Amino acid sequence: MKSRKLSRKRSRAAIVTATAASVVAGVAFAANWSAGAAVVDDPTVNAATKATFQKLADAVFTDRTQALVRGASQKQQTSRFSGDVRLSSTQSHDENAALTQLRGRQNRIAKAGETYSAGSTQVTLDATRVTGRTAKADVTETTTLTYAKAAGKEPKSTGFQAHHELTFKADRQGTWQLTGIEDTDDGGLAVNTLSKPSVKAPATGDDGNTTPDAPRAAITRNPTPVPKTLTGGTYDYKAMAAYAEKYVYNYNPDYPDYNNETAGGDCTNFVSQSLKAGGWKHVPGYVYDYTKWFGTADIQSDSFVGVNEWSWFAQNSKRTTPLANVFQAQVGDVIQMDFDRDGAKDHTMIVTYVANGIPYVTYHSNNTYRRSLASLVASYPNAYYYAYRT
């Protein structure tokens, strides 16, 4: 999550109550969606139509996943849809362009020494809203990519979840055509995403912060190693990694979920929880004071949930030291990114695995498991990177 301006106290009970209310409202809306039909010529959306919406969405994102797999067939799953639900001609053109872009990303990642031998995508339909001749479908994509030539200590796979809103419009014959796809996650960091990552506006004026900016880390490969002891010291870095990998997809209900709550999402909140699981202790105080750090179900300091505030706390408290190169990071270390290089950091991740000199990061917004830094650097070569030894 990026720096924020929002209500300071949010009880878990209030969140649960609001969620329950929205679910009830959603059920009521789903039961009465057809009441919005203005004329008899407006097509209906029944269970079979919704199922076809889901199948087409699955085909779209399966095609995108397969574009990242080395040697995969280029025959598109979406070409099978030519009946009452299909791609519009414009969206078909956009998807062809998207697949070309993703194959280019595959080549860049391969040049960095990483390839995927297989991919699997599943899409679930979460909600459908219909108004006249327009239908909006909310879907969740869950994708797993298998690392090629995984052997020894290398991880076998990486994976992520992403959320999308699909827009369907009915033509005069009542055929539903997919006309738009919008990524609804705050991060925009899934390996097959085409949207630009969320960025934070640079700070203006003097906010009284006297902590110097963290130094940028180099992204060249094979730097001099900087080893660390993972257990038995002040902090348990294996516990940090275990926590992150446990809750990457299924969020811990003991903390608020900031996805879609404010710009930036849940990334820093998630990393703070992981650090806390490995032994970082609360520093109580005023929520806006970046020299304090605490997070519970009811209240969180800005430094617990904000990208830049976390960096300021980490440096001021001496709980971290900067690493000169991102590839020196070890399990439990933290990586941050500034996508547009404006000095305001945009994203926070934690290293949960290391093999053959390659750190693998796990993060929220998008929910991602063991993505290699090689893949991130290849995908975002112009971003600024920051590496913190915890």
Side-chain angles (χ1 to χ4, degrees):
M1 173 179 164
K2 297 176 287 186
S3 305
R4 61 173 187 171
K5 296 294 181 183
L6 61 144
S7 174
R8 305 311 313 158
K9 292 190 177 182
R10 301 175 66 245
S11 70
R12 189 164 165 240
I15 294 172
V16 172
T17 300
T19 301
S22 66
V23 170
V24 172
V27 171
F29 188 79
N32 293 282
W33 59 263
S34 60
V39 296
V40 294
D41 290 336
D42 285 351
T44 60
V45 174
N46 55 25
T49 308
K50 292 180 181 181
T52 310
F53 285 173
Q54 179 271 324
K55 290 177 182 177
L56 179 54
D58 193 278
V60 166
F61 296 112
T62 293
D63 285 344
R64 292 186 182 187
T65 297
Q66 293 305 310
L68 293 167
V69 175
R70 177 68 73 177
S73 170
Q74 294 193 11
K75 183 177 181 180
Q76 295 175 220
Q77 296 290 315
T78 53
S79 64
R80 298 184 291 108
F81 292 81
S82 59
D84 293 338
V85 178
R86 62 175 184 259
L87 293 178
S88 70
S89 58
T90 299
Q91 191 62 38
S92 179
H93 177 272
D94 290 346
E95 284 306 304
N96 288 335
L99 298 181
T100 298
Q101 183 177 339
L102 288 170
R103 292 185 186 109
R105 180 175 295 177
Q106 177 208 113
N107 291 332
R108 291 193 299 274
I109 294 173
K111 289 179 180 178
E114 179 173 303
T115 56
Y116 307 117
S117 61
S120 172
T121 292
Q122 292 183 326
V123 172
T124 58
L125 180 64
D126 302 322
T128 306
R129 304 175 302 283
V130 183
T131 304
R133 307 181 79 84
T134 299
K136 301 280 189 178
D138 297 329
V139 302
T140 298
E141 170 198 1
T142 302
T143 290
T144 299
L145 288 160
T146 301
Y147 288 117
K149 300 180 181 179
K153 295 183 179 181
E154 295 175 359
K156 290 181 170 54
S157 64
T158 181
F160 64 88
Q161 282 183 336
H163 301 89
H164 315 275
E165 181 185 75
L166 278 61
T167 299
F168 294 86
K169 293 188 177 181
D171 61 19
R172 292 181 179 180
Q173 290 73 42
T175 298
W176 288 103
Q177 298 189 28
L178 177 59
T179 59
I181 300 172
E182 180 182 355
D183 299 331
T184 57
D185 290 303
D186 291 308
L189 271 173
V191 67
N192 72 347
T193 193
L194 298 171
S195 59
K196 293 182 179 180
S198 300
V199 297
K200 178 187 177 301
T204 57
D206 183 5
D207 61 2
N209 179 10
T210 58
T211 300
D213 288 334
R216 295 200 302 270
I219 56 175
T220 51
R221 296 286 287 272
N222 302 314
T224 302
V226 183
K228 69 190 289 189
T229 301
L230 299 183
T231 58
T234 304
Y235 303 121
D236 187 339
Y237 300 109
K238 289 185 176 180
M240 294 177 184
Y243 180 96
E245 295 190 350
K246 178 180 179 179
Y247 291 109
V248 60
Y249 297 137
N250 300 304
Y251 286 29
N252 186 344
D254 290 336
Y255 295 92
D257 169 6
Y258 284 104
N259 277 312
N260 301 316
E261 288 289 331
T262 186
D266 198 62
C267 63
T268 307
N269 180 39
F270 176 62
V271 168
S272 288
Q273 293 172 35
S274 303
L275 296 170
K276 184 176 171 182
W280 275 37
K281 303 299 183 185
H282 283 173
V283 182
Y286 187 47
V287 292
Y288 297 114
D289 184 350
Y290 66 82
T291 67
K292 311 302 179 185
W293 183 86
F294 53 90
T296 67
D298 300 312
I299 189 169
Q300 306 82 38
S301 65
D302 275 0
S303 60
F304 199 90
V305 300
V307 175
N308 293 284
E309 291 87 344
W310 180 89
S311 176
W312 297 334
F313 170 78
Q315 295 174 89
N316 186 76
S317 65
K318 308 300 183 184
R319 290 191 182 182
T320 67
T321 54
L323 291 167
N325 190 296
V326 292
F327 289 100
Q328 293 173 323
Q330 296 292 311
V331 170
D333 290 340
V334 173
I335 306 294
Q336 291 188 318
M337 297 175 68
D338 174 5
F339 295 108
D340 55 359
R341 307 200 302 183
D342 66 352
K345 301 170 188 66
D346 302 305
H347 186 54
T348 308
M349 306 166 286
I350 188 166
V351 177
T352 59
Y353 202 86
V354 176
N356 299 329
I358 303 296
Y360 294 80
V361 290
T362 297
Y363 53 88
H364 279 178
S365 309
N366 304 89
N367 305 334
T368 298
Y369 169 80
R370 290 189 182 179
R371 183 174 181 180
S372 76
L373 267 180
S375 165
L376 277 167
V377 170
S379 299
Y380 306 100
N382 296 321
Y384 285 157
Y385 292 79
Y386 303 84
Y388 303 81
R389 169 57 48 86
T390 59

